[in-house]
Amino acid sequence: MRNVSLKEAVAARLAGKQVKREHVIIAALVVALLATAYFAWMYLHRTSPVEGLKAAVMPVRPPKWVATIYGEGNVFLRQPRKVYVHSSQIYVSDTSNHRVVVFDYNGHYVRKFGDTGGQKNRLQYPYGIVVVGNEIYVADAGLMKVAVFDLNGKFKRYFGEKALVKPVDMVYHRNRFYFTDVGRQQVVVVDRSGKEVGAIGRYGRGGAGELYYPNGIAVTPDGRILVADTNNSRLQVFDTEGKFLEMWTGDLAKREGYFAAPSSIALDKRGNIYVADPLCQRVSILDRKGKLFNAAQQVGPPEERDSLSLPWGVWIDGRQRLYVADYGNSRVVIYDLK
């Protein structure tokens, strides 16, 4: 048997490494080609990886579409973020037009506000809306505070400046405001005077009670606080004292409530939970335990093949109508839940 010299041994080892390196390069090229082919197929079929995930959990009996609001006359919506209904009037955060637009219950234009008057009093990027008493509260992420108007849309004052950094949504419950604040990465609790009385959650990217750009918020009849933890792709549930209870992320393998970027939450009279998810391009409908059992996506008659595009805000009124701020299509879509 021939003795192998040191030089030959080193050469053989280097050759082996070269072969392994070539294998890695070839494997990487194969993966890249497969990925390119996959996304090309998605493009040609006008779909996406998120569409595939969405299709895996779509229901068979969605809520019934009844109407669509784009605007009227010379007032049209542009990328609305939130919708809110009070006293049979529909308030829409017409965010990219820097205003709030009000429609009657039949979808006819009534008035707009926030885009006229002195520059100091104008809205920049309005999001959440709530009416308390004779005042309209508008969370404005651009102004980084809440603007308060009377019921005719006349500016009155700012609210909660010392407590809030960048509020995007809110709910009023038992004399307290609960704000999702993407500047603080928390839910901020404020009393009627604008004073902070508590905070829920903390900044984080996955742990229990950690929030990363929280958007939508709702309070259940039994006092649970639901938060759309948008960039963590989940819903989190807290008690009235702000204690973490549970999180809902879903399980795609079990066909249970998958979220991509939940942005808004609403509740119907049965306690079901409606979650706008722009990236999944649907409104997911969950039971009280967070399990998906239905969804809203279709707009208009089935033969028109129209659907939601980046649905951002949801609201349910006392007559059990679901309102969806359809950001991608610059409209509000209405469904009947009865």
Side-chain angles (χ1 to χ4, degrees):
M1 183 174 185
R2 184 173 70 89
N3 292 330
V4 178
S5 69
L6 178 61
K7 183 177 180 180
E8 290 174 323
V10 171
R13 183 171 297 180
L14 291 175
K17 289 184 176 180
Q18 181 65 33
V19 170
K20 290 180 180 179
R21 188 179 297 113
E22 289 176 353
H23 288 172
V24 171
I25 294 172
I26 292 170
L29 288 173
V30 170
V31 170
L33 288 171
L34 289 174
T36 301
Y38 174 69
F39 283 103
W41 186 90
M42 290 289 185
Y43 174 79
L44 290 174
H45 289 77
R46 297 298 190 270
T47 184
S48 70
V50 172
E51 290 284 332
L53 293 172
K54 178 184 65 178
V57 289
M58 279 303 295
V60 293
R61 296 191 189 122
K64 181 182 178 182
W65 168 85
V66 294
T68 302
I69 300 173
Y70 289 92
E72 194 173 76
N74 61 351
V75 177
F76 287 91
L77 302 175
R78 185 157 68 97
Q79 298 177 329
R81 295 275 188 170
K82 300 288 183 177
V83 58
Y84 175 86
V85 180
H86 176 76
S87 296
S88 296
Q89 291 196 324
I90 305 165
Y91 294 77
V92 183
S93 290
D94 191 13
T95 307
S96 291
N97 280 324
H98 317 292
R99 64 191 181 188
V100 172
V101 182
V102 185
F103 301 92
D104 66 18
Y105 203 68
N106 294 316
H108 297 302
Y109 170 74
V110 176
R111 64 183 175 278
K112 62 182 178 68
F113 60 88
D115 62 341
T116 58
Q119 190 65 36
K120 179 181 177 181
N121 302 332
R122 291 190 179 193
L123 296 171
Q124 290 187 17
Y125 291 100
Y127 278 68
I129 302 171
V130 67
V131 176
V132 179
N134 294 318
E135 295 181 321
I136 306 167
Y137 292 75
V138 182
D140 194 308
L143 294 173
M144 298 187 177
K145 49 193 169 186
V146 176
V148 183
F149 301 82
D150 66 18
L151 295 181
N152 293 316
K154 181 180 179 180
F155 176 81
K156 296 182 67 174
R157 67 185 189 280
Y158 292 118
F159 175 82
E161 296 121 298
K162 294 182 179 180
L164 303 170
V165 176
K166 197 171 184 179
V168 292
D169 203 4
M170 63 183 140
V171 63
Y172 182 73
H173 180 73
R174 295 183 179 177
N175 294 315
R176 289 184 174 184
F177 294 89
Y178 294 79
F179 291 94
T180 48
D181 191 319
V182 298
R184 290 183 51 167
Q185 305 285 9
Q186 289 181 306
V187 173
V188 183
V189 188
V190 178
D191 65 17
R192 287 288 298 270
S193 70
K195 180 182 177 181
E196 179 178 345
V197 295
I200 299 171
R202 61 191 182 281
Y203 169 75
R205 301 195 181 190
E210 294 181 346
L211 300 171
Y212 187 33
Y213 285 88
N215 271 268
I217 186 168
V219 180
T220 66
D222 61 1
R224 292 180 300 156
I225 300 167
L226 309 180
V227 182
D229 188 10
T230 304
N231 282 19
N232 280 326
S233 302
R234 63 187 181 181
L235 261 61
Q236 293 203 63
V237 186
F238 301 86
D239 67 13
T240 52
E241 302 301 319
K243 179 182 177 182
F244 170 80
L245 296 177
E246 58 182 320
M247 67 178 75
W248 298 337
T249 57
D251 188 334
L252 187 62
K254 296 180 180 179
R255 302 171 67 84
E256 294 176 355
Y258 168 84
F259 300 115
S263 61
S264 188
I265 306 171
L267 306 171
D268 69 16
K269 65 180 181 181
R270 299 181 183 88
N272 297 320
I273 301 156
Y274 295 69
V275 183
D277 195 331
L279 294 187
C280 279
Q281 306 214 50
R282 70 176 182 209
V283 175
S284 298
I285 306 174
L286 318 175
D287 63 19
R288 298 180 185 185
K289 296 182 179 180
K291 183 177 180 180
L292 176 73
F293 71 92
N294 208 334
Q297 181 188 20
Q298 178 70 37
V299 179
E303 60 271 17
E304 292 185 4
R305 303 185 67 181
D306 190 8
S307 60
L308 298 173
S309 174
L310 303 177
W312 201 278
V314 288
W315 183 262
I316 297 173
D317 68 12
R319 304 182 199 181
Q320 295 303 285
R321 294 209 308 183
L322 168 66
Y323 301 79
V324 182
D326 191 13
Y327 176 90
N329 286 315
S330 294
R331 62 190 180 182
V332 170
V333 180
I334 306 173
Y335 300 88
D336 185 0
L337 302 178
K338 295 189 294 293

